[in-house]
Amino acid sequence: MTRPHRLLLWRIVRIGAIAMVLLVVLAGGQLLFGSGPLTDRSAWPSEFRSNGERIYFTATSASGQQITPQGGNMHMMMSGGGCVACHGADRGGGRLMPRFWQSVPPLTAAALFGEHDEAAEAEGAVEDDGHGDHDDYTDATLRRAITDGVDPGGERLDPVMPRWSIGVEDMTDLIAYLKTPVNGAE
């Protein structure tokens, strides 16, 4: 074998070894931290009961209007775009892959519209819902969070949360959906 052929073979072997290491790291991370809220589409409804539910899962209104994000992260863009991409079919939030160190808060009715009491969380009376120390959401403050990325306390949301361009009727429908219990429980 000539020297150029040996060098080429060596480069191919190195690239293969690097690819194997990356696969092992990604597979190990997925086993340890999960693969993110969106991976199981079997949890999606077979048909949508409301326009708000359709928007949550597909980022498209019943009229066919696309709800467009500004910003956000690669996970959301690669996963089809709706709220479900990060917050999950059960609206429970969770860790994102491949950014497993980043956790997304739940969008359940209790987490959004219930008490946000940091003192009670510190005493263990209430679990941390990931929403921080602010009052519960109202329709107006949730609109502001979705479109402008600001929580009820006036704090900026993480830039990973996209800012959505959404019409008034579609926003009203989405908020109504977020107020409903998940799978009949909350």
Side-chain angles (χ1 to χ4, degrees):
M1 190 180 294
T2 64
R3 180 171 164 75
H5 286 107
R6 279 186 298 214
L7 287 174
L8 179 61
L9 183 60
W10 172 246
R11 287 184 180 150
I12 291 171
V13 168
R14 269 190 12 207
I15 290 171
I18 291 170
M20 288 301 292
V21 167
L22 285 173
L23 283 172
V24 167
V25 167
L26 287 174
Q30 190 165 5
L31 287 173
L32 287 172
F33 303 105
S35 55
L38 181 65
T39 58
D40 184 12
R41 287 189 181 229
S42 68
W44 285 35
S46 56
E47 57 184 59
F48 302 111
R49 294 176 297 214
S50 68
N51 185 40
E53 184 177 51
R54 176 184 307 281
I55 292 167
Y56 181 86
F57 281 91
T58 68
T60 304
S61 75
S63 69
Q65 177 70 35
Q66 186 69 33
I67 312 299
T68 55
Q70 302 298 317
N73 66 13
M74 184 172 46
H75 173 81
M76 183 210 55
M77 299 300 179
M78 290 173 28
S79 300
C83 309
V84 69
C86 297
H87 298 281
D90 66 355
R91 301 189 329 227
R95 299 225 176 261
L96 296 178
M97 279 302 285
R99 299 173 70 159
F100 59 84
W101 59 88
Q102 205 155 26
S103 186
V104 179
L107 293 183
T108 61
L112 292 172
F113 302 102
E115 300 274 330
H116 294 275
D117 187 351
E118 196 169 275
E121 288 170 5
E123 294 172 8
V126 178
E127 282 187 42
D128 179 13
D129 63 10
H131 283 277
D133 184 25
H134 57 72
D135 291 336
D136 52 329
Y137 282 93
T138 64
D139 289 9
T141 58
L142 189 54
R143 273 187 186 85
R144 187 172 163 204
I146 293 169
T147 59
D148 299 333
V150 178
D151 75 16
E155 298 293 320
R156 304 275 322 148
L157 297 176
D158 191 306
V160 170
M161 166 65 184
R163 288 25 171 182
W164 295 89
S165 297
I166 181 171
V168 174
E169 286 181 37
D170 287 335
M171 177 68 82
T172 300
D173 292 345
L174 176 61
I175 290 172
Y177 170 69
L178 293 174
K179 287 180 174 182
T180 64
V182 176
N183 298 328
E186 263 193 46

